[in-house]
Amino acid sequence: VILQTQQVRVGKAGDSQLATFGQRLQYGQRPKLPRRSFEEVRFGAVLLDALGFDDFNHTFLVHTLDDGARHWLWDQRIPLTPDCTLYIDYDGGRWHTVERIANDEAKTLSLLERDAKAIAVRVRVNAPPLNMSETSRCVFPVVNTPDPQRNIVEVMRKVAALLPKPIRSRLQ
């Protein structure tokens, strides 16, 4: 992945992971995942690719999803450095309505209080925006399409500024 003048080129690793999951789901075999929508799994694969994990495999993707579930029910947890861990929630508008905003905000604040090394990213997909402000440890990109390949550019614009320098350098 290369971040150049506000543009992200997403490589093929995410696409190959999506094909693997697509084949398994198509033939009725369920990958061992915590309760996730296909859209959340797709986004997880595309995000790993965008963060520079070019050679990740199915096992690593599943590990980041499982690890998120084990850490306060986030969709994905990605340790980037010993001092920085990225927590992702992919909030679709079907479930994350106006009535859930207070819960989403409380979950984010709780994470930031519990883990001083955390960066929280809540991707709001056709969902109402949160009422809390973004900080140096949390961002809330709002996108209008559930297609990860199309919305990863907007997400990475917000996330890149929060990442430690060694990680940012992989993006440039």
Side-chain angles (χ1 to χ4, degrees):
V1 173
I2 300 172
L3 185 63
Q4 294 177 332
T5 62
Q6 303 295 327
Q7 293 183 348
V8 176
R9 290 192 334 230
V10 178
K12 296 295 182 189
D15 289 341
S16 66
Q17 290 302 310
L18 300 182
T20 300
F21 282 111
Q23 289 168 357
R24 288 172 185 243
L25 294 175
Q26 180 179 0
Y27 296 114
Q29 299 173 1
R30 298 235 177 241
K32 293 183 179 180
L33 294 171
R35 297 176 75 185
R36 297 284 187 280
S37 70
F38 186 68
E39 190 178 316
E40 289 168 332
V41 173
R42 286 180 62 207
F43 182 78
V46 171
L47 179 64
L48 287 173
D49 189 43
L51 287 169
F53 293 96
D54 295 328
D55 58 351
F56 72 91
N57 59 26
H58 172 264
T59 303
F60 182 66
L61 174 60
V62 170
H63 172 74
T64 65
L65 297 168
D66 281 339
D67 207 26
R70 282 191 298 271
H71 287 84
W72 310 297
L73 296 177
W74 283 76
D75 290 335
Q76 191 170 23
R77 179 179 180 268
I78 307 169
L80 298 173
T81 69
D83 296 325
C84 179
T85 303
L86 196 60
Y87 289 81
I88 310 296
D89 252 356
Y90 194 77
D91 301 337
R94 180 175 179 193
W95 298 108
H96 294 268
T97 60
V98 172
E99 292 79 24
R100 297 243 349 228
I101 288 177
N103 289 339
D104 291 344
E105 290 173 349
K107 181 177 174 182
T108 302
L109 291 172
S110 176
L111 168 71
L112 296 175
E113 289 172 6
R114 289 179 184 189
D115 186 347
K117 299 174 184 180
I119 294 176
V121 179
R122 297 197 74 96
V123 181
R124 309 290 289 178
V125 184
N126 294 320
L130 299 178
N131 297 320
M132 60 189 292
S133 298
E134 294 181 341
T135 70
S136 62
R137 293 185 54 218
C138 60
V139 292
F140 319 114
V142 177
V143 296
N144 297 321
T145 176
D147 181 358
Q149 292 287 2
R150 295 173 83 193
N151 64 32
I152 194 67
V153 173
E154 179 60 29
V155 171
M156 288 306 294
R157 279 186 187 142
K158 291 209 169 213
V159 171
L162 305 182
L163 298 176
K165 192 171 187 174
I167 303 300
R168 273 197 323 261
S169 67
R170 286 196 307 209
L171 305 177
Q172 299 179 5

